[in-house]
Amino acid sequence: MKNSGISAFPALSPENFPFVHSFANLPESFYTRLNPEPLPSPYLVCASDSAALLIGLDPSVFAKAEFIDAFSGNRLPPQALPLAAVYSGHQFGEWAGQLGDGRAHLLGEVQTESGPMELQLKGSGQTPYSRMGDGRAVLRSSIREFLCCEAMAGLGIPTTRALCVIGSDLPVARETVETAAVVTRMAPSFVRFGSFEHWYYRDRNDELNVLADFVINRHYPQLREQTNPYQALLAEATKRTAHLVAHWQTVGFMHGVMNTDNMSILGVTIDYGPFGFMEAFDSQHICNHSDRLGRYAYNMQPQMAHWNCHALGQALLPLIGTVEDAQSALACFSTEFTNKMSELLHAKLGLRSRQPEDGELIESMFALLQASRADFTLFFRHLGGIKVESAVNDELLRKLFPEHAGLEAWLALYRQRLRQENSQDEARMAAMNACNPKYVLRNHMAQIAIEKAQSKDFSEVRKLLTILQHPFDDQPENNGYAEPSRDDAGNLEISCSS
Ligand code: AMP
Ligand code: MG
């Protein structure tokens, strides 16, 4: 990670945070200003040096009391202007009405070389949008969100970042009694599709307009020049969402709760709950235990992302003008998704060119994975190690397949395709290793780290962070972390409770 911010703010500490406030300058109907609730006897669980460097914060402050005080919400930096934002959304396809930051406080934004970065506490106490919730987040889900944010960043996938997790012995009741934690998230903006829906469904076009102008001026200034900037906003959000989901599909990431309140207007992955990474491949896998109908199953994600873009288009309709204009902005989803998938899959397969018959090669690869339930991550990683003209390196790959006939038949096609473009083994392996991760956040790994953390041993959380920040590196000393779970814990469904 480039140490870019430090020179800009040499004396920066949590005490002296150069917060500025854009969202807080919107009219008051967009949020409620209030302080986080104090977190009793807080302690540092883990912090991300690369996230800190992005905002010009020197990681040496992690050990200081001011850091823990600031990011537990107990003693905020003087320039913080904490607020909880209001939004609404469609949950599992149904209009859910008003939601909002029920357990999150936006502190303000830091100007970085790559633009504004907002800092938000999550699990920091009740707000007017808590509905029946206690405003807290448990250590378990906070560690999962923290690690996955940083793992996705390591994978090069657009995401909110996570600065730190601060724990406390405060009891929090879920299925069992757990303890509380606060995770500090960072993103240029936390505005969601549901932030627009909120005003649309209340017939409040003035606020809708204010919000759209705010997002365009701050995050998409180039769209101002377009004839219809709101239509352009929808097209841009649709395109980014299509690209994001293509990234998810190609690393086997399943979000678990793709409700419109969990979709970022910037097209970054946001709100990590019962997510999962595909292990034994099953295109219909559902990672969220509460998603009985499989609305957000792996193979449904593209369609559901498109559905969400439609919901955004509906909400922006009063600004866009006509249904036709909204539809034409949404129309890019399929081509953007398909092209991005094709680009990413070609890279994953180490193919430099695109040929008409590649669709068949890719389809038969997915059919093979489905039939054999091979580990999704290791399949691509080991595929990178094979040679075109010899099977000497096929062993690792074969081990993933209980039955070899299908694999051998597919490999014959694949090798033929590699020969066609005169693919060189070493160069292809280097290119494939740079885009096929060796390490992803497998559920059983997160679970072990969580259990240790629950008895105050944070070493495993910290170890996973360092591994997952460099998922493409070989790290031979960490080979065990590349392995699928031994039992069937891999494709566990995770409970929504957090
Ligand atoms: P999620 O499904 O986590 O994206 O949350 C949906 C909505 O429920 C959001 O408005 C959250 O702020 C709210 N929420 C979830 N858990 C809690 C909680 N423990 N306390 C208050 N609000 C919550
Ligand atoms: Mg949410």
Side-chain angles (χ1 to χ4, degrees):
M1 182 55 58
K2 196 159 65 100
N3 184 353
S4 56
I6 291 240
S7 57
F9 307 117
L12 184 60
S13 78
E15 283 292 86
N16 171 28
F17 231 81
F19 278 133
V20 293
H21 302 284
S22 301
F23 193 86
N25 286 331
L26 286 174
E28 283 183 8
S29 49
F30 285 87
Y31 52 78
T32 302
R33 285 198 180 144
L34 83 172
N35 282 318
E37 280 175 41
L39 186 73
S41 311
Y43 42 82
L44 180 69
V45 173
C46 195
S48 164
D49 48 358
S50 72
L53 291 172
L54 274 181
I55 53 165
L57 195 60
D58 189 322
S60 66
V61 303
F62 294 164
K64 293 192 178 161
E66 301 99 280
F67 184 80
I68 295 171
D69 285 346
F71 297 110
S72 57
N74 288 356
R75 199 156 57 88
L76 293 182
Q79 290 125 308
L81 207 53
L83 63 82
V86 69
Y87 52 80
S88 293
H90 279 87
Q91 297 186 317
F92 292 91
E94 305 280 342
W95 176 241
Q98 181 181 298
L99 303 164
D101 292 332
R103 50 174 170 171
H105 294 78
L106 181 68
L107 302 183
E109 77 201 56
V110 177
Q111 307 282 16
T112 76
E113 279 176 7
S114 49
M117 193 60 104
E118 292 186 343
L119 269 68
Q120 187 202 58
L121 306 182
K122 178 170 176 181
S124 41
Q126 285 179 314
T127 76
Y129 317 113
S130 300
R131 299 179 292 157
M132 305 298 281
D134 58 10
R136 291 299 183 188
V138 294
L139 180 64
R140 168 178 51 83
S141 66
S142 304
I143 288 173
R144 282 173 52 84
E145 174 146 29
F146 171 82
L147 286 176
C148 203
C149 283
E150 294 306 281
M152 292 291 260
L155 290 166
I157 299 178
T159 179
T160 55
R161 297 296 301 263
L163 177 63
C164 59
V165 181
I166 308 287
S168 163
D169 292 343
L170 180 73
V172 175
R174 294 294 180 260
E175 278 102 341
T176 60
V177 177
E178 302 185 47
T179 59
V182 172
V183 49
T184 298
R185 307 192 294 183
M186 317 195 317
S189 172
F190 288 89
V191 170
R192 297 131 195 276
F193 288 9
S195 310
F196 295 91
E197 290 180 288
H198 182 74
W199 299 117
Y200 171 75
Y201 284 93
R202 291 176 175 223
D203 284 326
R204 300 267 290 266
N205 287 353
D206 289 349
E207 280 92 345
L208 188 64
N209 211 331
V210 167
L211 183 64
D213 285 339
F214 172 78
V215 167
I216 291 171
N217 292 341
R218 238 170 129 240
H219 303 290
Y220 296 108
Q222 70 283 9
L223 305 184
R224 269 278 151 243
E225 319 305 322
Q226 306 276 324
T227 345
N228 186 338
Y230 309 110
Q231 183 194 29
L233 173 63
L234 177 61
E236 185 64 27
T238 300
K239 177 175 135 193
R240 288 198 191 191
T241 303
H243 290 183
L244 179 66
V245 178
H247 276 290
W248 290 357
Q249 298 306 96
T250 52
V251 293
F253 175 78
M254 295 160 283
H255 183 283
V257 200
M258 292 171 65
N259 293 334
T260 56
D261 53 308
N262 291 338
M263 299 298 292
S264 153
I265 194 65
L266 302 183
V268 303
T269 316
I270 188 171
D271 277 12
Y272 293 85
F275 65 82
F277 280 88
M278 184 70 79
E279 299 206 31
F281 186 79
D282 173 13
S283 69
Q284 297 184 46
H285 183 67
I286 306 164
C287 66
N288 178 356
H289 183 72
S290 317
D291 183 11
R292 287 279 155 231
L293 297 176
R295 180 179 172 88
Y296 302 133
Y298 171 80
N299 61 355
M300 294 293 287
Q301 291 191 129
Q303 208 178 316
M304 289 301 112
H306 198 183
W307 192 97
N308 288 335
C309 292
H310 272 270
L312 177 65
Q314 182 75 44
L316 290 173
L317 200 52
L319 306 180
I320 292 174
T322 67
V323 173
E324 290 69 33
D325 283 346
Q327 270 168 348
S328 87
L330 291 163
C332 69
F333 187 94
S334 299
T335 32
E336 291 293 345
F337 173 73
T338 309
N339 287 341
K340 191 56 145 184
M341 274 300 272
S342 168
E343 173 197 321
L344 295 172
L345 285 170
H346 275 80
K348 286 179 83 67
L349 291 172
L351 297 172
R352 293 191 310 270
S353 62
R354 296 197 200 182
Q355 300 297 334
E357 67 274 18
D358 291 345
E360 233 167 275
L361 181 74
I362 288 170
E363 249 175 60
S364 58
M365 175 193 77
F366 277 110
L368 170 69
L369 289 172
Q370 181 75 35
S372 56
R373 304 280 158 114
D375 185 84
F376 189 71
T377 303
L378 291 183
F379 169 75
F380 290 104
R381 187 74 182 190
H382 293 336
L383 188 66
I386 70 163
K387 294 189 179 299
V388 178
E389 300 302 345
S390 140
V392 284
N393 285 359
D394 288 7
E395 210 38 51
L396 283 174
L397 197 56
R398 283 187 184 144
K399 277 193 189 146
L400 302 177
F401 291 82
E403 183 271 303
H404 292 164
L407 173 67
E408 300 307 333
W410 185 81
L411 278 179
L413 282 180
Y414 177 57
R415 285 194 160 105
Q416 199 183 332
R417 176 67 180 82
L418 292 176
R419 272 180 213 117
Q420 203 187 61
E421 62 176 43
N422 192 24
S423 186
Q424 301 299 305
D425 291 336
E426 274 194 26
R428 187 181 64 258
M429 180 167 84
M432 286 174 76
N433 282 353
C435 67
N436 291 322
K438 178 169 175 181
Y439 302 98
V440 292
L441 182 56
R442 296 172 187 270
N443 277 331
H444 71 278
M445 286 163 34
Q447 194 53 36
I448 292 167
I450 288 164
E451 281 166 24
K452 286 194 176 172
Q454 285 167 335
S455 44
K456 301 253 165 63
D457 172 0
F458 308 124
S459 59
E460 194 64 15
V461 181
R462 294 171 188 182
K463 169 134 206 193
L464 287 185
L465 174 67
T466 60
I467 295 172
L468 295 168
Q469 281 174 331
H470 306 284
F472 303 109
D473 292 359
D474 202 28
Q475 309 183 46
E477 68 284 10
N478 293 318
N479 276 344
Y481 290 88
E483 292 300 317
S485 59
R486 273 194 215 108
D487 47 35
D488 208 22
N491 277 346
L492 268 186
E493 290 182 1
I494 296 290
S495 132
C496 226
S497 81
S498 58

